[in-house]
Amino acid sequence: MSVSNALRVSIVGAGAIGCTLAARIANSGQPVSMLARGKTLEVIRSAGVTLFDLEGECQATVRAESDCAALGIQDVIFICTKATALSGLLPELSPLVGPETIVVPVVNGVPWWYFHGVSGRHAGRRIEAVNPDGNLSACLNLDQILGCVIFITAHTESPGVVRSNNKHLMILGEPNNQLSERLELVRTLIERSGIEARASETIRDALWTKILANLTSNPLSVITGASLEQIYSQPELKTIVSKVFNEALVIAGAYGARIAFDPQTFMTLWAGMGNVRTSMLQDHDAGRPLELAAIGDAVVELAALQGIDMPVTKDILALARIRALNTSH
């Protein structure tokens, strides 16, 4: 299989990230299908997907359907949904998935496949916070999953219209940390779309970098309403961020992950994202469920498996939940 117009590519989820990928991939000449709902489905069918990013305006025509059966078996599927939607979504994807289909979850937080493809005492373990009772594992052959960590900040201006003001980066890797033909296939597909794409033999290193970013910013943004720039630059918030960062860094190290950034460089990098509202803050403001289980609870669960406590992180998660609960009433 090679990257060509004959490749069947689908994106499940038409939010900010899904539309960003759809616009970029379709604009490269690779046909793309999308699974969408409601007003977004109507807009994409009539006007396509529009992306405003550092390259300017990118308008692309994609096929949009609300039923997986209408699309049929795909070669590559990008799952671009919230972690909270996975339990209801994955059982519906079977019409898209054939024996050779590559499934790329583009989802925040600790992935349900985290312990797949690894050796040692945790091999094959289930993370209850993101995969309760093994529900997600039962829906999809884990051997078909390709790991992905996405560093794209984007927001939806209106259905099918997305804006992103920072560089795009995707890191891809096999759960077993091996290089493979399918890894290079998907990496090339992404690279040709104008998004920087890297193949990694240590995908969990990149995964923990993103987990650190999400954990130190998303719950705190719900509590404070602060942007990324404020979270990582205001002295009072930086003090809290440092405590959460250090707690999570210990857990990352306990699982053998190597983080390329020291704390100060990490904060400077993310403060440089500017006046960006986190995806969790956007969800909170819109009254949508928060990804606290995948972004926070799963990390605390991983810590408990190592006999390590995360007191500050647990307090922040509790406050974010109370904030969300009080706002919903």
Side-chain angles (χ1 to χ4, degrees):
M1 190 186 301
S2 61
V3 176
S4 69
N5 289 346
L7 198 64
R8 295 162 297 181
V9 178
S10 279
I11 294 173
V12 177
I17 298 300
C19 285
T20 297
L21 286 183
R24 281 263 143 242
I25 294 174
N27 196 54
S28 72
Q30 168 64 53
V32 178
S33 300
M34 294 192 78
L35 194 67
R37 299 282 191 269
K39 181 64 176 178
T40 302
L41 175 65
E42 297 175 13
V43 170
I44 294 175
R45 280 178 167 174
S46 62
V49 176
T50 303
L51 169 68
F52 297 94
D53 63 9
L54 297 180
E55 300 297 321
E57 180 179 352
C58 174
Q59 202 283 331
T61 299
V62 303
R63 177 184 176 184
E65 299 287 351
S66 60
D67 185 0
C68 291
L71 295 176
I73 291 176
Q74 301 293 298
D75 296 308
V76 183
I77 303 171
F78 293 95
I79 301 179
C80 302
T81 63
K82 299 294 184 181
T84 53
L86 289 174
S87 60
L89 175 70
L90 288 191
E92 299 180 7
L93 300 186
S94 57
L96 301 177
V97 183
E100 302 300 321
T101 301
I102 306 167
V103 180
V104 188
V106 187
V107 182
N108 275 334
V110 178
W112 79 94
W113 54 262
Y114 185 85
F115 286 120
H116 177 65
V118 300
S119 58
R121 67 188 180 96
H122 296 304
R125 180 184 285 274
R126 184 172 68 239
I127 302 176
E128 289 295 330
V130 291
N131 189 17
D133 301 321
N135 293 339
L136 300 187
S137 301
C139 296
L140 189 67
N141 182 351
L142 293 179
D143 289 333
Q144 295 185 250
I145 288 178
L146 186 68
C148 175
V149 183
I150 189 166
F151 294 94
I152 293 178
T153 57
H155 68 275
T156 300
E157 293 193 335
S158 61
V161 180
V162 174
R163 185 173 297 275
S164 177
N165 297 320
N166 292 296
K167 293 181 179 180
H168 305 325
L169 168 64
M170 293 178 69
I171 301 176
L172 303 150
E174 293 283 4
N176 65 3
N177 294 325
Q178 301 296 312
L179 297 179
S180 66
E181 290 185 5
R182 69 176 192 171
L183 171 57
E184 182 56 23
L185 172 75
V186 178
R187 192 203 66 78
T188 301
L189 171 69
I190 296 299
E191 184 177 69
R192 289 183 180 179
S193 76
I195 295 173
E196 182 182 355
R198 303 175 189 170
S200 173
E201 294 180 83
T202 53
I203 187 61
R204 289 170 184 80
D205 287 359
L207 180 62
W208 273 103
T209 299
K210 183 66 180 291
I211 289 171
L212 283 165
N214 282 331
L215 186 62
T216 55
S217 63
N218 279 261
L220 197 55
S221 73
V222 172
I223 299 168
T224 64
S227 68
L228 288 180
E229 182 178 20
Q230 292 169 327
I231 287 171
Y232 292 108
S233 62
Q234 290 186 353
E236 295 85 356
L237 294 180
K238 283 181 65 177
T239 298
I240 299 172
V241 169
S242 294
K243 294 176 182 178
V244 176
F245 181 92
N246 289 332
E247 288 184 352
L249 193 62
V250 171
I251 311 308
Y255 286 95
R258 299 182 64 182
I259 307 301
F261 306 103
D262 62 86
Q264 188 54 55
T265 301
F266 180 88
M267 291 195 193
T268 300
L269 177 66
W270 287 98
M273 294 293 179
N275 189 34
V276 172
R277 296 162 68 250
T278 70
S279 59
M280 188 176 287
L281 180 56
Q282 294 178 53
D283 287 341
H284 173 262
D285 290 347
R288 294 187 291 261
L290 305 185
E291 296 179 290
L292 288 170
I295 286 175
D297 297 343
V299 180
V300 173
E301 183 177 334
L302 289 173
L305 289 176
Q306 300 285 5
I308 303 171
D309 194 17
M310 302 183 73
V312 178
T313 299
K314 289 193 287 189
D315 286 348
I316 295 297
L317 293 173
L319 289 172
R321 281 197 166 86
I322 293 297
R323 172 68 173 158
L325 180 64
N326 289 342
T327 304
S328 66
H329 288 171

